[in-house]
Amino acid sequence: MSVTTLDPRGVRFTAAMTSVILALGLITTSWRVMAAQMVLFGLCAFIGMQLNPWGALYRTTVQPKLAPVAPEEREDPAPVRFSQGVGFVFTLVATIGYAADLTTLGIVANAFALAAALLNAVFGYCLGCQVYLVLRRFAPAGASTTD
């Protein structure tokens, strides 16, 4: 299954669910919680957005109850996948920090990931997506804009 565009409401729903997991990680400082979220980020970033269980939950339970999104309002998945990769890095660092008893490192990385997820969930502002767009400006001419 190939994802051509994304429903922005699904992206925000996913960010909200991710925020809950990241908040749980911050409260518990559990490397296992961070590792679970890291796997989710990794699946989405490196394999495909269709593997996101929160996206699947949104598509099967929430989206059918909402009005369709106009095609011009749908989002390109490339910036979102990049964002998932950034989340992967931060949760990897948090996982290592918590597991290695470097709790401060884990908390800082976890808090940054949580802040970014909350920005998306609450305000619809995808920080990782914005970084992706800035980096694309510096890409060599002729470079692909898709994954």
PDB file of all heavy atoms in Angstrom, residues 121-147:
ATOM      1  N   ALA A 121       0.414  18.318  17.443  1.00  0.00           N
ATOM      2  CA  ALA A 121      -0.903  17.881  17.917  1.00  0.00           C
ATOM      3  C   ALA A 121      -1.814  19.058  18.254  1.00  0.00           C
ATOM      4  O   ALA A 121      -2.991  19.060  17.901  1.00  0.00           O
ATOM      5  CB  ALA A 121      -0.748  16.976  19.141  1.00  0.00           C
ATOM      6  N   VAL A 122      -1.290  20.056  18.919  1.00  0.00           N
ATOM      7  CA  VAL A 122      -2.100  21.166  19.413  1.00  0.00           C
ATOM      8  C   VAL A 122      -2.276  22.274  18.377  1.00  0.00           C
ATOM      9  O   VAL A 122      -3.374  22.795  18.198  1.00  0.00           O
ATOM     10  CB  VAL A 122      -1.503  21.739  20.722  1.00  0.00           C
ATOM     11  CG1 VAL A 122      -2.274  22.955  21.190  1.00  0.00           C
ATOM     12  CG2 VAL A 122      -1.472  20.664  21.810  1.00  0.00           C
ATOM     13  N   PHE A 123      -1.188  22.615  17.685  1.00  0.00           N
ATOM     14  CA  PHE A 123      -1.226  23.766  16.783  1.00  0.00           C
ATOM     15  C   PHE A 123      -1.139  23.401  15.301  1.00  0.00           C
ATOM     16  O   PHE A 123      -1.226  24.275  14.446  1.00  0.00           O
ATOM     17  CB  PHE A 123      -0.093  24.745  17.121  1.00  0.00           C
ATOM     18  CG  PHE A 123      -0.169  25.268  18.521  1.00  0.00           C
ATOM     19  CD1 PHE A 123       0.735  24.849  19.487  1.00  0.00           C
ATOM     20  CD2 PHE A 123      -1.162  26.171  18.891  1.00  0.00           C
ATOM     21  CE1 PHE A 123       0.668  25.326  20.784  1.00  0.00           C
ATOM     22  CE2 PHE A 123      -1.234  26.655  20.185  1.00  0.00           C
ATOM     23  CZ  PHE A 123      -0.322  26.226  21.137  1.00  0.00           C
ATOM     24  N   GLY A 124      -0.901  22.119  14.999  1.00  0.00           N
ATOM     25  CA  GLY A 124      -0.749  21.720  13.605  1.00  0.00           C
ATOM     26  C   GLY A 124       0.560  22.208  12.997  1.00  0.00           C
ATOM     27  O   GLY A 124       0.693  22.303  11.788  1.00  0.00           O
ATOM     28  N   TYR A 125       1.538  22.505  13.842  1.00  0.00           N
ATOM     29  CA  TYR A 125       2.838  22.982  13.381  1.00  0.00           C
ATOM     30  C   TYR A 125       3.842  21.849  13.491  1.00  0.00           C
ATOM     31  O   TYR A 125       4.234  21.453  14.595  1.00  0.00           O
ATOM     32  CB  TYR A 125       3.301  24.188  14.207  1.00  0.00           C
ATOM     33  CG  TYR A 125       4.578  24.801  13.684  1.00  0.00           C
ATOM     34  CD1 TYR A 125       4.530  25.707  12.631  1.00  0.00           C
ATOM     35  CD2 TYR A 125       5.810  24.469  14.219  1.00  0.00           C
ATOM     36  CE1 TYR A 125       5.700  26.273  12.131  1.00  0.00           C
ATOM     37  CE2 TYR A 125       6.975  25.019  13.738  1.00  0.00           C
ATOM     38  CZ  TYR A 125       6.918  25.917  12.693  1.00  0.00           C
ATOM     39  OH  TYR A 125       8.071  26.465  12.199  1.00  0.00           O
ATOM     40  N   CYS A 126       4.251  21.311  12.368  1.00  0.00           N
ATOM     41  CA  CYS A 126       5.203  20.202  12.339  1.00  0.00           C
ATOM     42  C   CYS A 126       6.616  20.762  12.238  1.00  0.00           C
ATOM     43  O   CYS A 126       7.050  21.196  11.167  1.00  0.00           O
ATOM     44  CB  CYS A 126       4.882  19.279  11.164  1.00  0.00           C
ATOM     45  SG  CYS A 126       6.047  17.914  10.993  1.00  0.00           S
ATOM     46  N   LEU A 127       7.316  20.755  13.339  1.00  0.00           N
ATOM     47  CA  LEU A 127       8.667  21.301  13.395  1.00  0.00           C
ATOM     48  C   LEU A 127       9.610  20.539  12.462  1.00  0.00           C
ATOM     49  O   LEU A 127      10.379  21.141  11.707  1.00  0.00           O
ATOM     50  CB  LEU A 127       9.181  21.275  14.837  1.00  0.00           C
ATOM     51  CG  LEU A 127      10.480  21.993  15.133  1.00  0.00           C
ATOM     52  CD1 LEU A 127      10.403  23.464  14.745  1.00  0.00           C
ATOM     53  CD2 LEU A 127      10.809  21.854  16.618  1.00  0.00           C
ATOM     54  N   GLY A 128       9.550  19.224  12.493  1.00  0.00           N
ATOM     55  CA  GLY A 128      10.387  18.408  11.609  1.00  0.00           C
ATOM     56  C   GLY A 128      10.088  18.668  10.145  1.00  0.00           C
ATOM     57  O   GLY A 128      10.991  18.681   9.305  1.00  0.00           O
ATOM     58  N   CYS A 129       8.818  18.892   9.827  1.00  0.00           N
ATOM     59  CA  CYS A 129       8.428  19.209   8.446  1.00  0.00           C
ATOM     60  C   CYS A 129       9.044  20.526   8.004  1.00  0.00           C
ATOM     61  O   CYS A 129       9.495  20.663   6.861  1.00  0.00           O
ATOM     62  CB  CYS A 129       6.908  19.279   8.311  1.00  0.00           C
ATOM     63  SG  CYS A 129       6.061  17.737   8.708  1.00  0.00           S
ATOM     64  N   GLN A 130       9.085  21.493   8.895  1.00  0.00           N
ATOM     65  CA  GLN A 130       9.671  22.790   8.575  1.00  0.00           C
ATOM     66  C   GLN A 130      11.178  22.662   8.355  1.00  0.00           C
ATOM     67  O   GLN A 130      11.730  23.279   7.445  1.00  0.00           O
ATOM     68  CB  GLN A 130       9.365  23.817   9.669  1.00  0.00           C
ATOM     69  CG  GLN A 130       7.891  24.105   9.838  1.00  0.00           C
ATOM     70  CD  GLN A 130       7.232  24.552   8.549  1.00  0.00           C
ATOM     71  OE1 GLN A 130       7.746  25.401   7.828  1.00  0.00           O
ATOM     72  NE2 GLN A 130       6.083  23.980   8.241  1.00  0.00           N
ATOM     73  N   VAL A 131      11.832  21.843   9.159  1.00  0.00           N
ATOM     74  CA  VAL A 131      13.265  21.595   8.971  1.00  0.00           C
ATOM     75  C   VAL A 131      13.485  20.934   7.612  1.00  0.00           C
ATOM     76  O   VAL A 131      14.406  21.297   6.870  1.00  0.00           O
ATOM     77  CB  VAL A 131      13.830  20.727  10.118  1.00  0.00           C
ATOM     78  CG1 VAL A 131      15.246  20.261   9.810  1.00  0.00           C
ATOM     79  CG2 VAL A 131      13.784  21.488  11.437  1.00  0.00           C
ATOM     80  N   TYR A 132      12.632  19.975   7.261  1.00  0.00           N
ATOM     81  CA  TYR A 132      12.714  19.307   5.960  1.00  0.00           C
ATOM     82  C   TYR A 132      12.640  20.330   4.835  1.00  0.00           C
ATOM     83  O   TYR A 132      13.437  20.297   3.892  1.00  0.00           O
ATOM     84  CB  TYR A 132      11.578  18.289   5.831  1.00  0.00           C
ATOM     85  CG  TYR A 132      11.468  17.664   4.465  1.00  0.00           C
ATOM     86  CD1 TYR A 132      12.217  16.539   4.143  1.00  0.00           C
ATOM     87  CD2 TYR A 132      10.613  18.184   3.496  1.00  0.00           C
ATOM     88  CE1 TYR A 132      12.118  15.951   2.893  1.00  0.00           C
ATOM     89  CE2 TYR A 132      10.514  17.609   2.239  1.00  0.00           C
ATOM     90  CZ  TYR A 132      11.266  16.491   1.949  1.00  0.00           C
ATOM     91  OH  TYR A 132      11.178  15.917   0.712  1.00  0.00           O
ATOM     92  N   LEU A 133      11.689  21.236   4.903  1.00  0.00           N
ATOM     93  CA  LEU A 133      11.512  22.236   3.846  1.00  0.00           C
ATOM     94  C   LEU A 133      12.720  23.168   3.740  1.00  0.00           C
ATOM     95  O   LEU A 133      13.140  23.532   2.638  1.00  0.00           O
ATOM     96  CB  LEU A 133      10.227  23.030   4.079  1.00  0.00           C
ATOM     97  CG  LEU A 133       8.944  22.202   3.979  1.00  0.00           C
ATOM     98  CD1 LEU A 133       7.737  23.047   4.375  1.00  0.00           C
ATOM     99  CD2 LEU A 133       8.780  21.612   2.592  1.00  0.00           C
ATOM    100  N   VAL A 134      13.305  23.525   4.872  1.00  0.00           N
ATOM    101  CA  VAL A 134      14.512  24.363   4.853  1.00  0.00           C
ATOM    102  C   VAL A 134      15.662  23.589   4.209  1.00  0.00           C
ATOM    103  O   VAL A 134      16.383  24.120   3.350  1.00  0.00           O
ATOM    104  CB  VAL A 134      14.886  24.833   6.277  1.00  0.00           C
ATOM    105  CG1 VAL A 134      16.286  25.441   6.310  1.00  0.00           C
ATOM    106  CG2 VAL A 134      13.854  25.817   6.793  1.00  0.00           C
ATOM    107  N   LEU A 135      15.831  22.336   4.579  1.00  0.00           N
ATOM    108  CA  LEU A 135      16.906  21.529   4.006  1.00  0.00           C
ATOM    109  C   LEU A 135      16.719  21.325   2.506  1.00  0.00           C
ATOM    110  O   LEU A 135      17.697  21.276   1.761  1.00  0.00           O
ATOM    111  CB  LEU A 135      17.002  20.182   4.723  1.00  0.00           C
ATOM    112  CG  LEU A 135      17.471  20.232   6.173  1.00  0.00           C
ATOM    113  CD1 LEU A 135      17.412  18.846   6.807  1.00  0.00           C
ATOM    114  CD2 LEU A 135      18.876  20.811   6.264  1.00  0.00           C
ATOM    115  N   ARG A 136      15.476  21.201   2.057  1.00  0.00           N
ATOM    116  CA  ARG A 136      15.196  21.029   0.625  1.00  0.00           C
ATOM    117  C   ARG A 136      15.664  22.235  -0.180  1.00  0.00           C
ATOM    118  O   ARG A 136      16.034  22.100  -1.336  1.00  0.00           O
ATOM    119  CB  ARG A 136      13.697  20.802   0.371  1.00  0.00           C
ATOM    120  CG  ARG A 136      13.160  19.497   0.873  1.00  0.00           C
ATOM    121  CD  ARG A 136      13.815  18.272   0.302  1.00  0.00           C
ATOM    122  NE  ARG A 136      13.779  18.278  -1.165  1.00  0.00           N
ATOM    123  CZ  ARG A 136      14.655  17.640  -1.925  1.00  0.00           C
ATOM    124  NH1 ARG A 136      15.606  16.937  -1.392  1.00  0.00           N
ATOM    125  NH2 ARG A 136      14.551  17.685  -3.228  1.00  0.00           N
ATOM    126  N   ARG A 137      15.655  23.401   0.419  1.00  0.00           N
ATOM    127  CA  ARG A 137      16.123  24.606  -0.280  1.00  0.00           C
ATOM    128  C   ARG A 137      17.605  24.521  -0.614  1.00  0.00           C
ATOM    129  O   ARG A 137      18.073  25.147  -1.554  1.00  0.00           O
ATOM    130  CB  ARG A 137      15.873  25.849   0.567  1.00  0.00           C
ATOM    131  CG  ARG A 137      14.426  26.205   0.679  1.00  0.00           C
ATOM    132  CD  ARG A 137      14.254  27.509   1.423  1.00  0.00           C
ATOM    133  NE  ARG A 137      12.856  27.635   1.820  1.00  0.00           N
ATOM    134  CZ  ARG A 137      12.428  28.269   2.874  1.00  0.00           C
ATOM    135  NH1 ARG A 137      13.292  28.877   3.671  1.00  0.00           N
ATOM    136  NH2 ARG A 137      11.154  28.322   3.158  1.00  0.00           N
ATOM    137  N   PHE A 138      18.335  23.761   0.198  1.00  0.00           N
ATOM    138  CA  PHE A 138      19.770  23.627   0.009  1.00  0.00           C
ATOM    139  C   PHE A 138      20.151  22.392  -0.788  1.00  0.00           C
ATOM    140  O   PHE A 138      21.336  22.144  -1.004  1.00  0.00           O
ATOM    141  CB  PHE A 138      20.483  23.628   1.352  1.00  0.00           C
ATOM    142  CG  PHE A 138      20.314  24.901   2.109  1.00  0.00           C
ATOM    143  CD1 PHE A 138      19.476  24.973   3.211  1.00  0.00           C
ATOM    144  CD2 PHE A 138      20.963  26.060   1.702  1.00  0.00           C
ATOM    145  CE1 PHE A 138      19.297  26.162   3.898  1.00  0.00           C
ATOM    146  CE2 PHE A 138      20.786  27.260   2.382  1.00  0.00           C
ATOM    147  CZ  PHE A 138      19.954  27.305   3.479  1.00  0.00           C
ATOM    148  N   ALA A 139      19.164  21.617  -1.228  1.00  0.00           N
ATOM    149  CA  ALA A 139      19.432  20.410  -2.005  1.00  0.00           C
ATOM    150  C   ALA A 139      19.978  20.800  -3.385  1.00  0.00           C
ATOM    151  O   ALA A 139      19.598  21.833  -3.938  1.00  0.00           O
ATOM    152  CB  ALA A 139      18.160  19.581  -2.152  1.00  0.00           C
ATOM    153  N   PRO A 140      20.845  19.990  -3.927  1.00  0.00           N
ATOM    154  CA  PRO A 140      21.376  20.289  -5.267  1.00  0.00           C
ATOM    155  C   PRO A 140      20.264  20.340  -6.300  1.00  0.00           C
ATOM    156  O   PRO A 140      19.251  19.645  -6.175  1.00  0.00           O
ATOM    157  CB  PRO A 140      22.318  19.112  -5.558  1.00  0.00           C
ATOM    158  CG  PRO A 140      22.516  18.409  -4.272  1.00  0.00           C
ATOM    159  CD  PRO A 140      21.388  18.782  -3.364  1.00  0.00           C
ATOM    160  N   ALA A 141      20.447  21.158  -7.320  1.00  0.00           N
ATOM    161  CA  ALA A 141      19.451  21.259  -8.401  1.00  0.00           C
ATOM    162  C   ALA A 141      19.241  19.892  -9.027  1.00  0.00           C
ATOM    163  O   ALA A 141      20.174  19.132  -9.235  1.00  0.00           O
ATOM    164  CB  ALA A 141      19.936  22.252  -9.455  1.00  0.00           C
ATOM    165  N   GLY A 142      17.984  19.574  -9.293  1.00  0.00           N
ATOM    166  CA  GLY A 142      17.651  18.292  -9.902  1.00  0.00           C
ATOM    167  C   GLY A 142      17.470  17.160  -8.912  1.00  0.00           C
ATOM    168  O   GLY A 142      17.144  16.052  -9.297  1.00  0.00           O
ATOM    169  N   ALA A 143      17.730  17.415  -7.628  1.00  0.00           N
ATOM    170  CA  ALA A 143      17.554  16.374  -6.625  1.00  0.00           C
ATOM    171  C   ALA A 143      16.070  16.087  -6.464  1.00  0.00           C
ATOM    172  O   ALA A 143      15.224  16.973  -6.569  1.00  0.00           O
ATOM    173  CB  ALA A 143      18.141  16.792  -5.280  1.00  0.00           C
ATOM    174  N   SER A 144      15.726  14.839  -6.201  1.00  0.00           N
ATOM    175  CA  SER A 144      14.329  14.434  -6.049  1.00  0.00           C
ATOM    176  C   SER A 144      13.737  15.080  -4.812  1.00  0.00           C
ATOM    177  O   SER A 144      14.389  15.206  -3.780  1.00  0.00           O
ATOM    178  CB  SER A 144      14.256  12.912  -5.924  1.00  0.00           C
ATOM    179  OG  SER A 144      12.953  12.518  -5.616  1.00  0.00           O
ATOM    180  N   THR A 145      12.476  15.477  -4.915  1.00  0.00           N
ATOM    181  CA  THR A 145      11.775  16.052  -3.757  1.00  0.00           C
ATOM    182  C   THR A 145      10.912  15.029  -3.065  1.00  0.00           C
ATOM    183  O   THR A 145      10.191  15.336  -2.145  1.00  0.00           O
ATOM    184  CB  THR A 145      10.902  17.253  -4.170  1.00  0.00           C
ATOM    185  OG1 THR A 145       9.965  16.791  -5.152  1.00  0.00           O
ATOM    186  CG2 THR A 145      11.751  18.380  -4.716  1.00  0.00           C
ATOM    187  N   THR A 146      10.966  13.792  -3.523  1.00  0.00           N
ATOM    188  CA  THR A 146      10.180  12.723  -2.906  1.00  0.00           C
ATOM    189  C   THR A 146      11.119  11.654  -2.390  1.00  0.00           C
ATOM    190  O   THR A 146      12.302  11.626  -2.718  1.00  0.00           O
ATOM    191  CB  THR A 146       9.192  12.093  -3.913  1.00  0.00           C
ATOM    192  OG1 THR A 146       9.934  11.530  -4.994  1.00  0.00           O
ATOM    193  CG2 THR A 146       8.203  13.108  -4.427  1.00  0.00           C
ATOM    194  N   ASP A 147      10.551  10.748  -1.618  1.00  0.00           N
ATOM    195  CA  ASP A 147      11.360   9.649  -1.055  1.00  0.00           C
ATOM    196  C   ASP A 147      11.740   8.655  -2.101  1.00  0.00           C
ATOM    197  O   ASP A 147      11.117   8.198  -2.915  1.00  0.00           O
ATOM    198  CB  ASP A 147      10.599   8.965   0.082  1.00  0.00           C
ATOM    199  CG  ASP A 147      10.517   9.878   1.280  1.00  0.00           C
ATOM    200  OD1 ASP A 147      11.420  10.682   1.499  1.00  0.00           O
ATOM    201  OD2 ASP A 147       9.529   9.759   1.997  1.00  0.00           O
TER     202      ASP A 147
END
